[in-house]
Amino acid sequence: MNTVHFDGEILSCQNYISGSFVEASGQEFSIYSPYTGSIIAITKTSTIKDIAQAVASAKTAQIDWALRSLKDRSQVLFSFRHILLREIDAISNLVSLESGKTLAEAKAGILKGIEVLEFALSLQNLDTGGKMEVSREVFCEYRRRPLGVVAQITPFNFPAMVPMWTIPIALALGNAYLWKPSDKTPLTAGRIAQCLTEAGLPDGLLNIVNGGQETAQALIDHPDIAAIGFVGSTPVAKAVFQRGSQLGKRVLALGGAKNHILLLPDADLDMSGRGISDSFTGCAGQRCMAASVLLAIGDCDAHIETIKNRAASLKLGKDMGAIISAEHAAFLRSAVDEAEKSGAKVILDGRSIKAPSEYPGGYWFGPTILDHVPPESSAAKTELFGPLLSIVRCKNISEALAIENKSLFGNACSVFTASGPLAEKVVRRSKAAMIGINIGVPVPREPFSFGGCQASKFGHGDITGQSSLDFWSDLVKVTTKWETQNDETWMS
Ligand code: NAD
């Protein structure tokens, strides 16, 4: 399978509640494919009534699920892993069709989600509780208690991977999970839910409610939802965090990004050329870890030429995917126009690129490089979310770090250099939370956790890894004494 497949038949897209697809009761809305520019599915917005139905079913199912042992719950996740791998090509096609990713990117996202699933599977052997004798014959231990019904609101750009950051961990810990996928990419969700049901997940433990802002807000407000995970843009992440926190709920909201790469003239030409080009063009720049600003320190002209040549050689539809909507493609074009007006030089121009012959109706924008971008301009400071690299020329590493440090965001930062001490300087002085050395997309692999800081994250802890366990559960401390004899110890 080399091309994204769509046979033209409008796909079904409904809520998933208690193990069955059901129609929501709100307004109808359409889903468009970035590859075809046409409607691929029609669905309906979930109302307060639909959410109440989803929560009620989750609440009932969670009681028995929480009583099962972690080992027992993990058996379902083992089967889920097997089914996902069996279905990976079909799910990848769906991810690509609705989000615009290439098939290879869609598949890589599912495999990264499976890594988190494997982390969740390891908990049965690793999360031992740490029991110890704290006084003579008095023992303290940790036990995890699930929160009950939890919810996750996810963005368009990773319809499978981002939800897979949280589904396996939240379920393994004994919660029921309500999922509101992006209103732009809701199709993959239903397929994942079906895989979980086939794996043996009892009905009601994973429910899906479709819709946009209003559905998300109703979900946050529902009194029986104990915790909310969110991934999306910064303004929405902040609003979701505030709304949920005001209601006394646990909220972790990951936001947008503007990631910097510091490039030093001693960097390996091929390694930096590939790393930086692939970082800003991968997923057509629509990922929170994409390189966005290149801080070129000193004479990096040869490196920039290598980056440009690699980006220019990419074939749309095969090496680089489509833009999520016609509106966003138009926004990217206007952002380049504006950057030019502010003094930037367009050295690679993707504004008027031709659509690939296989996908003539889709939303396309080619790799674009802006050089000599003023550091205070919009192209250097705001998240544009497209295959667009803004190069800011810097005299030295201190100037580059000062620009990086001023950013409101704090997701990722990388440095390309042959010098260990200079790389270490960047690691110590950068403000970002995920840092790469000679790596363009410094996504931590399991068991290392994922999460930014500053305006890229609202709430504490990370969305995967060890701290996510504390997010999706309460840590209960049990102190036990069985010795009946009276003595002088402090806990007698
Ligand atoms: P978005 O913020 O527009 O939407 C995200 C989700 O929030 C969707 O499900 C949407 O329906 C819902 N939503 C929209 N408005 C809402 C509101 N007012 N209240 C509650 N919910 C609302 O984001 P997007 O365009 O789908 O995704 C792209 C953004 O996500 C980019 O900014 C990108 O950087 C960010 N992102 C961040 C990470 C990360 O790990 N930090 C990962 C992926 C994407």
Side-chain angles (χ1 to χ4, degrees), residues 153-157 162 165 180-184 211-213 216-217 230-234 236 240 254-257 288 383 385 411 450 456:
I153 299 161
T154 53
F156 81 80
N157 65 329
V162 165
W165 286 346
K180 194 209 81 63
S182 162
D183 41 338
K184 295 180 187 125
Q213 173 175 342
Q217 288 172 342
F230 172 89
V231 181
S233 60
T234 287
V236 181
V240 166
L254 270 58
C288 66
E383 183 179 43
F385 224 52
N411 226 35
F450 188 96
S456 296

PDB file of all heavy atoms in Angstrom, residues 153-157 162 165 180-184 211-213 216-217 230-234 236 240 254-257 288 383 385 411 450 456, ligand 1:
ATOM      1  N   ILE A 153      -8.924  14.898  25.972  1.00  0.00           N
ATOM      2  CA  ILE A 153      -9.327  15.677  24.780  1.00  0.00           C
ATOM      3  C   ILE A 153      -8.082  15.757  23.895  1.00  0.00           C
ATOM      4  O   ILE A 153      -7.024  16.209  24.353  1.00  0.00           O
ATOM      5  CB  ILE A 153      -9.798  17.088  25.212  1.00  0.00           C
ATOM      6  CG1 ILE A 153     -11.007  16.967  26.149  1.00  0.00           C
ATOM      7  CG2 ILE A 153     -10.126  17.954  23.998  1.00  0.00           C
ATOM      8  CD1 ILE A 153     -11.273  18.217  26.983  1.00  0.00           C
ATOM      9  N   THR A 154      -8.177  15.314  22.648  1.00  0.00           N
ATOM     10  CA  THR A 154      -6.958  15.174  21.832  1.00  0.00           C
ATOM     11  C   THR A 154      -6.996  16.049  20.571  1.00  0.00           C
ATOM     12  O   THR A 154      -8.061  16.428  20.095  1.00  0.00           O
ATOM     13  CB  THR A 154      -6.738  13.691  21.457  1.00  0.00           C
ATOM     14  OG1 THR A 154      -7.926  13.167  20.856  1.00  0.00           O
ATOM     15  CG2 THR A 154      -6.406  12.865  22.682  1.00  0.00           C
ATOM     16  N   PRO A 155      -5.802  16.344  20.020  1.00  0.00           N
ATOM     17  CA  PRO A 155      -5.709  17.241  18.853  1.00  0.00           C
ATOM     18  C   PRO A 155      -5.802  16.470  17.535  1.00  0.00           C
ATOM     19  O   PRO A 155      -5.808  15.241  17.523  1.00  0.00           O
ATOM     20  CB  PRO A 155      -4.304  17.825  19.018  1.00  0.00           C
ATOM     21  CG  PRO A 155      -3.512  16.707  19.623  1.00  0.00           C
ATOM     22  CD  PRO A 155      -4.460  15.936  20.502  1.00  0.00           C
ATOM     23  N   PHE A 156      -5.806  17.223  16.430  1.00  0.00           N
ATOM     24  CA  PHE A 156      -5.981  16.578  15.117  1.00  0.00           C
ATOM     25  C   PHE A 156      -4.720  15.876  14.635  1.00  0.00           C
ATOM     26  O   PHE A 156      -4.782  14.938  13.841  1.00  0.00           O
ATOM     27  CB  PHE A 156      -6.417  17.615  14.062  1.00  0.00           C
ATOM     28  CG  PHE A 156      -5.277  18.432  13.489  1.00  0.00           C
ATOM     29  CD1 PHE A 156      -4.462  17.913  12.485  1.00  0.00           C
ATOM     30  CD2 PHE A 156      -4.999  19.710  13.959  1.00  0.00           C
ATOM     31  CE1 PHE A 156      -3.401  18.657  11.971  1.00  0.00           C
ATOM     32  CE2 PHE A 156      -3.937  20.455  13.456  1.00  0.00           C
ATOM     33  CZ  PHE A 156      -3.138  19.918  12.458  1.00  0.00           C
ATOM     34  N   ASN A 157      -3.541  16.334  15.106  1.00  0.00           N
ATOM     35  CA  ASN A 157      -2.325  15.989  14.361  1.00  0.00           C
ATOM     36  C   ASN A 157      -1.781  14.588  14.626  1.00  0.00           C
ATOM     37  O   ASN A 157      -0.978  14.097  13.844  1.00  0.00           O
ATOM     38  CB  ASN A 157      -1.238  17.054  14.554  1.00  0.00           C
ATOM     39  CG  ASN A 157      -0.751  17.152  15.975  1.00  0.00           C
ATOM     40  OD1 ASN A 157      -1.502  16.901  16.911  1.00  0.00           O
ATOM     41  ND2 ASN A 157       0.499  17.508  16.159  1.00  0.00           N
ATOM     42  N   VAL A 162      -1.225  10.338  20.131  1.00  0.00           N
ATOM     43  CA  VAL A 162      -1.466  11.144  21.352  1.00  0.00           C
ATOM     44  C   VAL A 162      -2.455  10.439  22.293  1.00  0.00           C
ATOM     45  O   VAL A 162      -2.169  10.299  23.487  1.00  0.00           O
ATOM     46  CB  VAL A 162      -1.880  12.593  20.995  1.00  0.00           C
ATOM     47  CG1 VAL A 162      -2.465  13.302  22.203  1.00  0.00           C
ATOM     48  CG2 VAL A 162      -0.682  13.372  20.469  1.00  0.00           C
ATOM     49  N   TRP A 165      -0.848   7.819  24.334  1.00  0.00           N
ATOM     50  CA  TRP A 165      -0.014   8.239  25.467  1.00  0.00           C
ATOM     51  C   TRP A 165      -0.745   7.970  26.789  1.00  0.00           C
ATOM     52  O   TRP A 165      -0.130   7.766  27.818  1.00  0.00           O
ATOM     53  CB  TRP A 165       0.275   9.737  25.420  1.00  0.00           C
ATOM     54  CG  TRP A 165       1.261  10.198  24.407  1.00  0.00           C
ATOM     55  CD1 TRP A 165       2.139   9.444  23.680  1.00  0.00           C
ATOM     56  CD2 TRP A 165       1.493  11.558  24.012  1.00  0.00           C
ATOM     57  NE1 TRP A 165       2.889  10.253  22.862  1.00  0.00           N
ATOM     58  CE2 TRP A 165       2.519  11.548  23.049  1.00  0.00           C
ATOM     59  CE3 TRP A 165       0.929  12.786  24.376  1.00  0.00           C
ATOM     60  CZ2 TRP A 165       3.005  12.720  22.445  1.00  0.00           C
ATOM     61  CZ3 TRP A 165       1.407  13.945  23.787  1.00  0.00           C
ATOM     62  CH2 TRP A 165       2.428  13.907  22.819  1.00  0.00           C
ATOM     63  N   LYS A 180     -12.592  12.446  23.918  1.00  0.00           N
ATOM     64  CA  LYS A 180     -13.135  13.324  22.883  1.00  0.00           C
ATOM     65  C   LYS A 180     -12.020  13.575  21.874  1.00  0.00           C
ATOM     66  O   LYS A 180     -11.098  14.351  22.120  1.00  0.00           O
ATOM     67  CB  LYS A 180     -13.620  14.669  23.454  1.00  0.00           C
ATOM     68  CG  LYS A 180     -14.475  15.409  22.433  1.00  0.00           C
ATOM     69  CD  LYS A 180     -14.435  16.897  22.533  1.00  0.00           C
ATOM     70  CE  LYS A 180     -13.266  17.555  21.917  1.00  0.00           C
ATOM     71  NZ  LYS A 180     -13.083  17.418  20.457  1.00  0.00           N
ATOM     72  N   PRO A 181     -12.100  12.897  20.726  1.00  0.00           N
ATOM     73  CA  PRO A 181     -11.073  13.141  19.710  1.00  0.00           C
ATOM     74  C   PRO A 181     -11.275  14.509  19.061  1.00  0.00           C
ATOM     75  O   PRO A 181     -12.321  15.144  19.240  1.00  0.00           O
ATOM     76  CB  PRO A 181     -11.304  12.011  18.699  1.00  0.00           C
ATOM     77  CG  PRO A 181     -12.659  11.471  18.962  1.00  0.00           C
ATOM     78  CD  PRO A 181     -13.118  11.927  20.305  1.00  0.00           C
ATOM     79  N   SER A 182     -10.289  14.921  18.291  1.00  0.00           N
ATOM     80  CA  SER A 182     -10.422  16.185  17.558  1.00  0.00           C
ATOM     81  C   SER A 182     -11.646  16.120  16.648  1.00  0.00           C
ATOM     82  O   SER A 182     -11.931  15.077  16.044  1.00  0.00           O
ATOM     83  CB  SER A 182      -9.169  16.415  16.713  1.00  0.00           C
ATOM     84  OG  SER A 182      -9.438  17.378  15.724  1.00  0.00           O
ATOM     85  N   ASP A 183     -12.345  17.228  16.523  1.00  0.00           N
ATOM     86  CA  ASP A 183     -13.501  17.270  15.617  1.00  0.00           C
ATOM     87  C   ASP A 183     -13.038  17.261  14.158  1.00  0.00           C
ATOM     88  O   ASP A 183     -13.859  17.111  13.248  1.00  0.00           O
ATOM     89  CB  ASP A 183     -14.401  18.478  15.911  1.00  0.00           C
ATOM     90  CG  ASP A 183     -13.612  19.738  16.212  1.00  0.00           C
ATOM     91  OD1 ASP A 183     -12.430  19.636  16.612  1.00  0.00           O
ATOM     92  OD2 ASP A 183     -14.173  20.838  16.051  1.00  0.00           O
ATOM     93  N   LYS A 184     -11.723  17.398  13.916  1.00  0.00           N
ATOM     94  CA  LYS A 184     -11.228  17.301  12.534  1.00  0.00           C
ATOM     95  C   LYS A 184     -10.837  15.868  12.193  1.00  0.00           C
ATOM     96  O   LYS A 184     -10.838  15.472  11.031  1.00  0.00           O
ATOM     97  CB  LYS A 184      -9.999  18.209  12.357  1.00  0.00           C
ATOM     98  CG  LYS A 184     -10.321  19.689  12.507  1.00  0.00           C
ATOM     99  CD  LYS A 184      -9.069  20.525  12.314  1.00  0.00           C
ATOM    100  CE  LYS A 184      -9.341  21.984  12.639  1.00  0.00           C
ATOM    101  NZ  LYS A 184      -8.427  22.520  13.627  1.00  0.00           N
ATOM    102  N   GLY A 211     -17.301  15.707  18.887  1.00  0.00           N
ATOM    103  CA  GLY A 211     -17.732  17.097  18.981  1.00  0.00           C
ATOM    104  C   GLY A 211     -16.536  18.020  19.111  1.00  0.00           C
ATOM    105  O   GLY A 211     -15.391  17.571  19.099  1.00  0.00           O
ATOM    106  N   GLY A 212     -16.832  19.316  19.248  1.00  0.00           N
ATOM    107  CA  GLY A 212     -15.770  20.314  19.351  1.00  0.00           C
ATOM    108  C   GLY A 212     -15.729  20.955  20.731  1.00  0.00           C
ATOM    109  O   GLY A 212     -15.867  20.273  21.748  1.00  0.00           O
ATOM    110  N   GLN A 213     -15.603  22.282  20.708  1.00  0.00           N
ATOM    111  CA  GLN A 213     -15.434  23.049  21.948  1.00  0.00           C
ATOM    112  C   GLN A 213     -16.534  22.791  22.986  1.00  0.00           C
ATOM    113  O   GLN A 213     -16.244  22.531  24.156  1.00  0.00           O
ATOM    114  CB  GLN A 213     -15.397  24.527  21.569  1.00  0.00           C
ATOM    115  CG  GLN A 213     -15.398  25.470  22.743  1.00  0.00           C
ATOM    116  CD  GLN A 213     -15.245  26.911  22.296  1.00  0.00           C
ATOM    117  OE1 GLN A 213     -14.810  27.193  21.182  1.00  0.00           O
ATOM    118  NE2 GLN A 213     -15.581  27.844  23.149  1.00  0.00           N
ATOM    119  N   ALA A 216     -16.283  19.410  24.573  1.00  0.00           N
ATOM    120  CA  ALA A 216     -15.121  19.366  25.484  1.00  0.00           C
ATOM    121  C   ALA A 216     -15.468  20.072  26.796  1.00  0.00           C
ATOM    122  O   ALA A 216     -15.155  19.566  27.883  1.00  0.00           O
ATOM    123  CB  ALA A 216     -13.923  20.029  24.814  1.00  0.00           C
ATOM    124  N   GLN A 217     -16.118  21.199  26.697  1.00  0.00           N
ATOM    125  CA  GLN A 217     -16.437  21.952  27.917  1.00  0.00           C
ATOM    126  C   GLN A 217     -17.439  21.197  28.790  1.00  0.00           C
ATOM    127  O   GLN A 217     -17.304  21.154  30.020  1.00  0.00           O
ATOM    128  CB  GLN A 217     -16.953  23.345  27.547  1.00  0.00           C
ATOM    129  CG  GLN A 217     -15.809  24.218  27.017  1.00  0.00           C
ATOM    130  CD  GLN A 217     -16.251  25.542  26.442  1.00  0.00           C
ATOM    131  OE1 GLN A 217     -17.426  25.719  26.115  1.00  0.00           O
ATOM    132  NE2 GLN A 217     -15.327  26.476  26.291  1.00  0.00           N
ATOM    133  N   PHE A 230      -5.358  16.848  28.438  1.00  0.00           N
ATOM    134  CA  PHE A 230      -5.629  17.622  27.221  1.00  0.00           C
ATOM    135  C   PHE A 230      -4.332  17.757  26.434  1.00  0.00           C
ATOM    136  O   PHE A 230      -3.263  17.992  27.006  1.00  0.00           O
ATOM    137  CB  PHE A 230      -6.157  19.021  27.574  1.00  0.00           C
ATOM    138  CG  PHE A 230      -6.277  19.914  26.364  1.00  0.00           C
ATOM    139  CD1 PHE A 230      -7.454  19.946  25.618  1.00  0.00           C
ATOM    140  CD2 PHE A 230      -5.199  20.689  25.933  1.00  0.00           C
ATOM    141  CE1 PHE A 230      -7.549  20.725  24.467  1.00  0.00           C
ATOM    142  CE2 PHE A 230      -5.285  21.477  24.784  1.00  0.00           C
ATOM    143  CZ  PHE A 230      -6.467  21.496  24.056  1.00  0.00           C
ATOM    144  N   VAL A 231      -4.433  17.676  25.109  1.00  0.00           N
ATOM    145  CA  VAL A 231      -3.303  18.010  24.232  1.00  0.00           C
ATOM    146  C   VAL A 231      -3.861  18.832  23.081  1.00  0.00           C
ATOM    147  O   VAL A 231      -4.834  18.422  22.434  1.00  0.00           O
ATOM    148  CB  VAL A 231      -2.594  16.741  23.702  1.00  0.00           C
ATOM    149  CG1 VAL A 231      -1.415  17.117  22.813  1.00  0.00           C
ATOM    150  CG2 VAL A 231      -2.104  15.850  24.844  1.00  0.00           C
ATOM    151  N   GLY A 232      -3.259  19.990  22.834  1.00  0.00           N
ATOM    152  CA  GLY A 232      -3.736  20.853  21.750  1.00  0.00           C
ATOM    153  C   GLY A 232      -2.974  22.167  21.770  1.00  0.00           C
ATOM    154  O   GLY A 232      -1.836  22.234  22.262  1.00  0.00           O
ATOM    155  N   SER A 233      -3.590  23.221  21.259  1.00  0.00           N
ATOM    156  CA  SER A 233      -2.905  24.510  21.156  1.00  0.00           C
ATOM    157  C   SER A 233      -2.838  25.203  22.524  1.00  0.00           C
ATOM    158  O   SER A 233      -3.647  24.912  23.417  1.00  0.00           O
ATOM    159  CB  SER A 233      -3.642  25.393  20.149  1.00  0.00           C
ATOM    160  OG  SER A 233      -4.966  25.582  20.607  1.00  0.00           O
ATOM    161  N   THR A 234      -1.920  26.146  22.658  1.00  0.00           N
ATOM    162  CA  THR A 234      -1.715  26.808  23.956  1.00  0.00           C
ATOM    163  C   THR A 234      -2.946  27.569  24.471  1.00  0.00           C
ATOM    164  O   THR A 234      -3.306  27.398  25.645  1.00  0.00           O
ATOM    165  CB  THR A 234      -0.469  27.715  23.886  1.00  0.00           C
ATOM    166  OG1 THR A 234       0.663  26.852  23.880  1.00  0.00           O
ATOM    167  CG2 THR A 234      -0.361  28.659  25.080  1.00  0.00           C
ATOM    168  N   VAL A 236      -6.074  27.055  24.042  1.00  0.00           N
ATOM    169  CA  VAL A 236      -7.101  26.107  24.493  1.00  0.00           C
ATOM    170  C   VAL A 236      -6.589  25.331  25.719  1.00  0.00           C
ATOM    171  O   VAL A 236      -7.327  25.104  26.680  1.00  0.00           O
ATOM    172  CB  VAL A 236      -7.540  25.162  23.350  1.00  0.00           C
ATOM    173  CG1 VAL A 236      -8.625  24.218  23.833  1.00  0.00           C
ATOM    174  CG2 VAL A 236      -8.057  25.962  22.152  1.00  0.00           C
ATOM    175  N   VAL A 240      -8.618  25.170  29.152  1.00  0.00           N
ATOM    176  CA  VAL A 240      -9.054  23.871  29.700  1.00  0.00           C
ATOM    177  C   VAL A 240      -8.482  23.702  31.106  1.00  0.00           C
ATOM    178  O   VAL A 240      -9.184  23.277  32.038  1.00  0.00           O
ATOM    179  CB  VAL A 240      -8.601  22.712  28.767  1.00  0.00           C
ATOM    180  CG1 VAL A 240      -8.723  21.358  29.449  1.00  0.00           C
ATOM    181  CG2 VAL A 240      -9.411  22.731  27.471  1.00  0.00           C
ATOM    182  N   LEU A 254      -1.338  19.860  27.736  1.00  0.00           N
ATOM    183  CA  LEU A 254      -0.157  20.148  26.916  1.00  0.00           C
ATOM    184  C   LEU A 254      -0.550  21.086  25.783  1.00  0.00           C
ATOM    185  O   LEU A 254      -1.574  20.876  25.125  1.00  0.00           O
ATOM    186  CB  LEU A 254       0.415  18.839  26.346  1.00  0.00           C
ATOM    187  CG  LEU A 254       1.470  18.136  27.216  1.00  0.00           C
ATOM    188  CD1 LEU A 254       0.934  17.813  28.596  1.00  0.00           C
ATOM    189  CD2 LEU A 254       1.967  16.871  26.545  1.00  0.00           C
ATOM    190  N   GLY A 255       0.276  22.110  25.578  1.00  0.00           N
ATOM    191  CA  GLY A 255      -0.063  23.132  24.588  1.00  0.00           C
ATOM    192  C   GLY A 255       0.859  23.124  23.380  1.00  0.00           C
ATOM    193  O   GLY A 255       1.525  22.130  23.084  1.00  0.00           O
ATOM    194  N   GLY A 256       0.916  24.259  22.712  1.00  0.00           N
ATOM    195  CA  GLY A 256       1.670  24.388  21.466  1.00  0.00           C
ATOM    196  C   GLY A 256       3.152  24.616  21.706  1.00  0.00           C
ATOM    197  O   GLY A 256       3.655  24.484  22.830  1.00  0.00           O
ATOM    198  N   ALA A 257       3.853  24.980  20.635  1.00  0.00           N
ATOM    199  CA  ALA A 257       5.311  25.066  20.726  1.00  0.00           C
ATOM    200  C   ALA A 257       5.887  25.999  19.669  1.00  0.00           C
ATOM    201  O   ALA A 257       5.210  26.329  18.675  1.00  0.00           O
ATOM    202  CB  ALA A 257       5.903  23.674  20.547  1.00  0.00           C
ATOM    203  N   CYS A 288       4.112  19.109  17.447  1.00  0.00           N
ATOM    204  CA  CYS A 288       4.589  20.024  18.488  1.00  0.00           C
ATOM    205  C   CYS A 288       6.087  19.926  18.691  1.00  0.00           C
ATOM    206  O   CYS A 288       6.662  20.741  19.397  1.00  0.00           O
ATOM    207  CB  CYS A 288       3.858  19.743  19.792  1.00  0.00           C
ATOM    208  SG  CYS A 288       4.271  18.117  20.435  1.00  0.00           S
ATOM    209  N   GLU A 383       3.589  30.204  16.874  1.00  0.00           N
ATOM    210  CA  GLU A 383       3.495  28.867  16.299  1.00  0.00           C
ATOM    211  C   GLU A 383       2.708  28.953  14.994  1.00  0.00           C
ATOM    212  O   GLU A 383       1.571  29.428  14.979  1.00  0.00           O
ATOM    213  CB  GLU A 383       2.770  27.915  17.265  1.00  0.00           C
ATOM    214  CG  GLU A 383       2.718  26.498  16.733  1.00  0.00           C
ATOM    215  CD  GLU A 383       2.024  25.515  17.672  1.00  0.00           C
ATOM    216  OE1 GLU A 383       0.964  25.855  18.236  1.00  0.00           O
ATOM    217  OE2 GLU A 383       2.543  24.397  17.826  1.00  0.00           O
ATOM    218  N   PHE A 385       2.716  26.159  12.635  1.00  0.00           N
ATOM    219  CA  PHE A 385       2.227  24.796  12.437  1.00  0.00           C
ATOM    220  C   PHE A 385       2.133  24.417  10.970  1.00  0.00           C
ATOM    221  O   PHE A 385       1.063  24.100  10.437  1.00  0.00           O
ATOM    222  CB  PHE A 385       0.865  24.628  13.139  1.00  0.00           C
ATOM    223  CG  PHE A 385       0.776  23.325  13.902  1.00  0.00           C
ATOM    224  CD1 PHE A 385       1.741  22.969  14.809  1.00  0.00           C
ATOM    225  CD2 PHE A 385      -0.275  22.439  13.698  1.00  0.00           C
ATOM    226  CE1 PHE A 385       1.679  21.773  15.509  1.00  0.00           C
ATOM    227  CE2 PHE A 385      -0.359  21.241  14.390  1.00  0.00           C
ATOM    228  CZ  PHE A 385       0.621  20.911  15.297  1.00  0.00           C
ATOM    229  N   ASN A 411       8.743  23.648  24.769  1.00  0.00           N
ATOM    230  CA  ASN A 411       8.629  22.224  24.438  1.00  0.00           C
ATOM    231  C   ASN A 411      10.004  21.632  24.145  1.00  0.00           C
ATOM    232  O   ASN A 411      10.559  20.921  24.966  1.00  0.00           O
ATOM    233  CB  ASN A 411       7.687  22.044  23.248  1.00  0.00           C
ATOM    234  CG  ASN A 411       6.688  20.932  23.495  1.00  0.00           C
ATOM    235  OD1 ASN A 411       6.247  20.750  24.629  1.00  0.00           O
ATOM    236  ND2 ASN A 411       6.334  20.198  22.475  1.00  0.00           N
ATOM    237  N   PHE A 450       7.276  12.275  28.378  1.00  0.00           N
ATOM    238  CA  PHE A 450       7.045  13.336  27.385  1.00  0.00           C
ATOM    239  C   PHE A 450       6.321  14.503  28.040  1.00  0.00           C
ATOM    240  O   PHE A 450       5.293  14.322  28.681  1.00  0.00           O
ATOM    241  CB  PHE A 450       6.195  12.797  26.220  1.00  0.00           C
ATOM    242  CG  PHE A 450       6.081  13.775  25.086  1.00  0.00           C
ATOM    243  CD1 PHE A 450       6.926  13.690  23.987  1.00  0.00           C
ATOM    244  CD2 PHE A 450       5.155  14.810  25.132  1.00  0.00           C
ATOM    245  CE1 PHE A 450       6.844  14.608  22.953  1.00  0.00           C
ATOM    246  CE2 PHE A 450       5.063  15.736  24.099  1.00  0.00           C
ATOM    247  CZ  PHE A 450       5.912  15.631  23.002  1.00  0.00           C
ATOM    248  N   SER A 456       3.945  25.629  27.016  1.00  0.00           N
ATOM    249  CA  SER A 456       3.711  24.350  26.333  1.00  0.00           C
ATOM    250  C   SER A 456       3.089  23.324  27.262  1.00  0.00           C
ATOM    251  O   SER A 456       2.811  22.194  26.831  1.00  0.00           O
ATOM    252  CB  SER A 456       5.031  23.792  25.764  1.00  0.00           C
ATOM    253  OG  SER A 456       5.534  24.663  24.782  1.00  0.00           O
TER     254      SER A 456
HETATM  255  P1  NAD B   1      -6.817  22.708  19.239  1.00  0.00           P
HETATM  256  O1  NAD B   1      -6.374  23.360  20.500  1.00  0.00           O
HETATM  257  O2  NAD B   1      -7.517  23.527  18.235  1.00  0.00           O
HETATM  258  O3  NAD B   1      -7.792  21.476  19.567  1.00  0.00           O
HETATM  259  C1  NAD B   1      -7.430  20.466  20.473  1.00  0.00           C
HETATM  260  C2  NAD B   1      -8.682  19.820  21.042  1.00  0.00           C
HETATM  261  O4  NAD B   1      -9.401  20.777  21.814  1.00  0.00           O
HETATM  262  C3  NAD B   1      -9.664  19.319  19.997  1.00  0.00           C
HETATM  263  O5  NAD B   1     -10.204  18.101  20.447  1.00  0.00           O
HETATM  264  C4  NAD B   1     -10.719  20.421  19.935  1.00  0.00           C
HETATM  265  O6  NAD B   1     -11.982  19.934  19.532  1.00  0.00           O
HETATM  266  C5  NAD B   1     -10.748  20.881  21.380  1.00  0.00           C
HETATM  267  N1  NAD B   1     -11.140  22.292  21.599  1.00  0.00           N
HETATM  268  C6  NAD B   1     -11.075  23.314  20.717  1.00  0.00           C
HETATM  269  N2  NAD B   1     -11.434  24.461  21.335  1.00  0.00           N
HETATM  270  C7  NAD B   1     -11.715  24.163  22.618  1.00  0.00           C
HETATM  271  C8  NAD B   1     -12.121  24.922  23.757  1.00  0.00           C
HETATM  272  N3  NAD B   1     -12.286  26.240  23.692  1.00  0.00           N
HETATM  273  N4  NAD B   1     -12.305  24.273  24.935  1.00  0.00           N
HETATM  274  C9  NAD B   1     -12.103  22.934  25.034  1.00  0.00           C
HETATM  275  N5  NAD B   1     -11.707  22.174  23.978  1.00  0.00           N
HETATM  276  C10 NAD B   1     -11.515  22.765  22.787  1.00  0.00           C
HETATM  277  O7  NAD B   1      -5.498  22.000  18.614  1.00  0.00           O
HETATM  278  P2  NAD B   1      -5.338  21.287  17.204  1.00  0.00           P
HETATM  279  O8  NAD B   1      -5.366  22.304  16.126  1.00  0.00           O
HETATM  280  O9  NAD B   1      -6.262  20.131  17.121  1.00  0.00           O
HETATM  281  O10 NAD B   1      -3.866  20.681  17.349  1.00  0.00           O
HETATM  282  C11 NAD B   1      -2.699  21.409  17.051  1.00  0.00           C
HETATM  283  C12 NAD B   1      -2.118  22.035  18.296  1.00  0.00           C
HETATM  284  O11 NAD B   1      -1.835  21.017  19.266  1.00  0.00           O
HETATM  285  C13 NAD B   1      -0.783  22.710  18.040  1.00  0.00           C
HETATM  286  O12 NAD B   1      -0.746  23.902  18.777  1.00  0.00           O
HETATM  287  C14 NAD B   1       0.243  21.711  18.559  1.00  0.00           C
HETATM  288  O13 NAD B   1       1.480  22.275  18.951  1.00  0.00           O
HETATM  289  C15 NAD B   1      -0.494  21.148  19.729  1.00  0.00           C
HETATM  290  N6  NAD B   1       0.035  19.842  20.106  1.00  0.00           N
HETATM  291  C16 NAD B   1       0.782  19.777  21.239  1.00  0.00           C
HETATM  292  C17 NAD B   1       1.328  18.573  21.613  1.00  0.00           C
HETATM  293  C18 NAD B   1       2.170  18.480  22.858  1.00  0.00           C
HETATM  294  O14 NAD B   1       2.526  17.378  23.226  1.00  0.00           O
HETATM  295  N7  NAD B   1       2.494  19.575  23.507  1.00  0.00           N
HETATM  296  C19 NAD B   1       1.111  17.415  20.836  1.00  0.00           C
HETATM  297  C20 NAD B   1       0.310  17.522  19.696  1.00  0.00           C
HETATM  298  C21 NAD B   1      -0.222  18.753  19.334  1.00  0.00           C
END
